[in-house]
């Protein structure tokens, strides 16, 4: 089956390499500056905690730089591996006109993601994607490789949400590639982001020190509960767990992940969150504005947004998405 992946950051490369292990033929739509390197092939290394790394190489069938040009193929699915800030502009309309009825797989994290996609495609054509890996392009710390690497935490499955006739073939394709996958509920991605992103914002405010964040999670916990409550109201989801239950779970994650991961977790979050800094700030703002429209508390969200440091440009840092 022919699969088009839009974007060749770390996750675009990881999912391309994983799908290629199964029945998929992979092509990419990327910015012109990325095309030559992609045509030479994609090298991806999966890191394991208890055994050595496993490296695979993917040579894409085709590499496009113009959305209109992809109309030459009947795509089984189109995977939009770009962040929320990229879901705007004429390129999305050109892509929609070119891919026809192909299943469109995309992240659903920000409150604006689904509406932006639904403005171009029918809802029943869309599949929401929640990833189960941590991925980055380029070495972190003492790593020896200089290409894309990723780690799948225990239980880290790809979650797909949408109409069954769209989701089932995708899940089968991932399982054929030995990639854990399961079906989820539309809206689960934004709910999860609402619980996690405020802690990542607080980690940035704490200078990327997990010890410093663990010492005081009060504002992050308040903001996460506010965001989760707002997303539940906006998307018609069940109310989130109590604030203290959310905080206990996140504090446990902050304690356990650095022990499990075979890489420097603090460096990963610094690199990753620096790259998606505009998206993080937009999400905090959008949650607060939605909460205020509904008369819901936003004190923690506003406090985090006000404390965020200025955006930094770090061109020398490896890409993570």
């Amino acid at each position: 089956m022919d699969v088009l992946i839009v974007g060749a950051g770390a996750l675009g490369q990881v999912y391309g390499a994983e799908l290629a292990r199964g029945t998929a033929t992979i092509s990419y739509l990327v910015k012109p500056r990325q095309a030559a390197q992609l045509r030479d092939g994609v090298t991806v290394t999966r890191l394991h905690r208890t055994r050595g790394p496993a490296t695979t190489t993917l040579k894409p069938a085709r590499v496009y730089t113009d959305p209109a040009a992809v109309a030459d193929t009947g795509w089984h699915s189109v995977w939009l591996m770009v962040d929320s800030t990229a879901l705007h502009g004429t390129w999305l309309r050109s892509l929609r006109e070119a891919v026809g009825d192909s299943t469109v797989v995309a992240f659903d994290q920000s409150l604006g993601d689904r509406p932006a996609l639904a403005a171009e495609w029918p809802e029943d054509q869309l599949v929401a994607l929640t990833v189960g890996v941590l991925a980055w392009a380029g070495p972190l710390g003492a790593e020896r490789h200089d290409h894309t690497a990723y780690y799948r935490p225990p239980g880290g499955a790809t979650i797909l949400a949408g109409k069954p006739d769209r989701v089932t073939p995708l899940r089968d394709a991932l399982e054929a590639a030995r990639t854990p996958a399961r079906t989820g509920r539309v809206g689960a991605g934004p709910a999860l982001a609402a619980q996690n992103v405020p802690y990542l914002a607080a980690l940035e405010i704490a200078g990327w020190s997990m010890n410093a964040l663990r010492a005081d999670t009060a504002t992050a916990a308040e903001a996460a509960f506010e965001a989760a409550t707002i997303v539940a109201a906006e998307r018609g989801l069940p109310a989130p767990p109590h604030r203290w239950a959310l905080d206990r779970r996140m504090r446990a994650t902050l304690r356990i992940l650095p022990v499990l991961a075979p890489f420097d977790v603090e460096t990963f979050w610094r690199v990753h969150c620096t790259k998606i800094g505009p998206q993080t700030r937009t999400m905090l703002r959008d949650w607060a504005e939605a909460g205020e429209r509904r008369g819901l508390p936003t004190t923690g969200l506003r406090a985090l947004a006000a404390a965020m440091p200025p955006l930094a440009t770090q061109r020398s840092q490896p890409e993570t998405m």
Side-chain angles (χ1 to χ4, degrees), residues 1 76 163-174:
M1 68 183 189
H76 170 274
K163 288 192 65 178
D165 62 336
R166 297 283 185 175
V167 168
T168 301
L170 297 170
R171 191 184 63 220
D172 291 346
L174 287 168

Side-chain angles (χ1 to χ4, degrees), residues 6 79-93 95 104-121 126 235 279:
V6 181
W79 296 59
L80 302 183
M81 309 301 282
V82 297
D83 69 29
S84 300
T85 60
L87 298 179
H88 304 283
T90 58
W91 78 271
L92 203 62
R93 177 66 54 86
L95 182 66
V104 177
V105 185
F107 305 124
D108 184 18
Q109 296 180 311
S110 299
L111 286 176
D113 289 355
R114 192 79 176 186
L117 295 168
E120 302 295 342
W121 285 279
L126 299 173
R235 292 295 187 94
Q279 176 177 279

Side-chain angles (χ1 to χ4, degrees), residues 194-196 198-199 219-229 246 250 301 304:
Q195 296 173 28
N196 293 340
Y199 281 86
T219 302
E222 182 180 18
F225 182 71
E226 291 170 354
T229 301
L246 288 176
M250 291 305 300
L301 287 167
L304 275 187

Side-chain angles (χ1 to χ4, degrees), residues 2-278:
D2 286 304
V3 171
L4 177 67
I5 296 182
V6 181
L11 286 174
Q13 293 185 32
V14 167
Y15 274 87
E18 291 209 330
L19 284 164
R21 288 203 307 256
T23 60
T25 299
I26 305 299
S27 297
Y28 282 93
L29 170 63
V30 297
K31 296 176 181 178
R33 62 181 172 79
Q34 298 173 301
Q37 182 178 358
L38 272 179
R39 291 189 180 103
D40 291 337
V42 169
T43 301
V44 174
T45 295
R46 179 178 178 183
L47 302 181
H48 300 271
R49 189 169 71 92
T50 58
R51 61 182 188 272
T55 297
T56 60
T57 299
L58 161 68
K59 191 169 181 61
R62 284 154 291 183
V63 177
Y64 301 91
T65 59
D66 178 3
V70 307
D72 66 348
T73 299
W75 302 104
H76 170 274
S77 53
V78 177
W79 296 59
L80 302 183
M81 309 301 282
V82 297
D83 69 29
S84 300
T85 60
L87 298 179
H88 304 283
T90 58
W91 78 271
L92 203 62
R93 177 66 54 86
S94 297
L95 182 66
R96 186 260 292 166
E97 293 171 351
V99 301
D101 188 53
S102 304
T103 297
V104 177
V105 185
F107 305 124
D108 184 18
Q109 296 180 311
S110 299
L111 286 176
D113 289 355
R114 192 79 176 186
L117 295 168
E120 302 295 342
W121 285 279
E123 286 272 359
D124 62 6
Q125 196 172 336
L126 299 173
V127 171
L129 171 70
T130 302
V131 303
V133 301
L134 303 175
W136 58 96
L140 292 177
E143 291 175 6
R144 296 180 180 178
H145 66 80
D146 59 358
H147 50 262
T148 294
Y150 71 105
Y151 171 64
R152 189 181 300 282
T158 294
I159 303 173
L160 303 163
K163 288 192 65 178
D165 62 336
R166 297 283 185 175
V167 168
T168 301
L170 297 170
R171 191 184 63 220
D172 291 346
L174 287 168
E175 290 176 347
R178 305 186 303 282
T179 298
R182 59 185 176 88
T183 302
R185 177 177 179 176
V186 174
L192 185 63
Q195 296 173 28
N196 293 340
V197 169
Y199 281 86
L200 296 178
L203 182 63
E204 182 171 354
I205 293 166
W208 309 111
S209 168
M210 298 182 96
N211 285 336
L213 176 57
R214 283 195 297 267
D216 182 7
T217 59
T219 302
E222 182 180 18
F225 182 71
E226 291 170 354
T229 301
I230 292 162
V231 168
E234 289 280 303
R235 292 295 187 94
L237 301 172
H242 192 275
R243 168 184 168 181
W244 305 116
L246 288 176
D247 192 44
R248 281 196 298 271
R249 190 188 70 192
M250 291 305 300
R251 290 176 67 88
T253 300
L254 290 169
R255 185 175 62 255
I256 294 170
L257 185 58
V259 176
L260 292 179
F263 59 92
D264 186 331
V265 173
E266 288 183 346
T267 300
F268 169 79
W269 288 127
R270 174 175 56 80
V271 170
H272 175 67
C273 294
T274 296
K275 182 175 185 292
I276 64 167

